Amino acid sequence: MNFKSRINRWAQCLVVALLLAVAAGCANPVQAVNAAQYHAFGFDARQDSPDTEILAYRYGSVNIGQLRMPYWKDEKEGSRQATGIHATMSIEGGLYVKWRLRSTGQVFEDTVDLRVVLPNDYRNQWVYFVAKGPQLFVYRVETIPRPADWPAIGPRKFQHEKVHQIYPIAR
């Protein structure tokens, strides 16, 4: 193979590699949401749903105590009923919550793929969940004042901020 054909072959490979890289970047528009962003995660079952006991939860894929509660935790020890953390976190792995209604003893669990329900940019916002009855609610809270024409939804502590219910998706 002569020098000119080697250069041609190298250029063709480079063009194919660049096209593949561009195609991979465009193939999944959800990809950007996977990047870790500085935001807050939390819940407070004591205030938001006193009839509910959180048995287990996992937020994202990071193994930080405030982002997960072990499934093997001893029921007699009790379990964390509130948490709040501000950090650079990835939402890859989603949100998993398992809870029990104190009044009936019924146990429920749900998993939410946050990549589908969060916008690409959720920096400096809260991802907050409330388990009420058999339903898990997930909210995105913008840390800006709620406009007068914006409905007050979600947890009472966020009534003065702009709140979006992201799960279940309102139809």
Side-chain angles (χ1 to χ4, degrees):
M1 192 183 279
N2 67 22
F3 180 74
K4 194 173 188 181
S5 62
R6 282 187 184 160
I7 293 293
N8 254 352
R9 183 74 176 151
W10 182 83
Q12 288 173 345
C13 288
L14 181 63
V15 167
V16 168
L18 287 172
L19 287 173
L20 287 172
V22 168
C26 297
N28 186 0
V30 173
Q31 189 83 16
V33 178
N34 286 334
Q37 295 183 30
Y38 184 85
H39 67 287
F41 163 73
F43 70 95
D44 189 345
R46 300 167 305 187
Q47 293 293 317
D48 302 324
S49 48
D51 185 42
T52 301
E53 179 184 6
I54 303 301
L55 300 174
Y57 67 92
R58 181 190 71 245
Y59 183 75
S61 58
V62 179
N63 193 14
I64 297 174
Q66 290 157 306
L67 297 180
R68 63 177 47 229
M69 182 170 37
Y71 304 107
W72 59 87
K73 188 158 186 86
D74 185 355
E75 295 292 325
K76 292 179 183 174
E77 286 183 34
S79 53
R80 183 184 300 254
Q81 297 302 301
T83 195
I85 182 171
H86 297 262
T88 300
M89 302 174 275
S90 170
I91 58 168
E92 191 171 339
L95 170 66
Y96 167 81
V97 182
K98 182 177 182 179
W99 67 99
R100 175 178 38 230
L101 298 182
R102 296 177 199 269
S103 58
T104 65
Q106 289 178 288
V107 175
F108 302 94
E109 60 186 322
D110 202 351
T111 302
V112 180
D113 184 356
L114 297 169
R115 297 171 301 166
V116 176
V117 295
L118 283 174
N120 286 341
D121 185 1
Y122 54 93
R123 286 174 296 175
N124 300 315
Q125 298 179 23
W126 276 89
V127 174
Y128 192 91
F129 78 80
V130 175
K132 277 200 172 192
Q135 182 63 58
L136 179 68
F137 294 90
V138 183
Y139 302 97
R140 177 174 58 92
V141 182
E142 294 184 58
T143 54
I144 60 173
R146 179 176 58 85
D149 61 342
W150 192 270
I153 63 168
R156 183 181 185 110
K157 68 183 95 210
F158 296 120
Q159 294 236 327
H160 299 291
E161 295 174 278
K162 197 171 181 182
V163 178
H164 307 264
Q165 180 180 312
I166 59 174
Y167 182 83
I169 298 171
R171 304 209 189 273

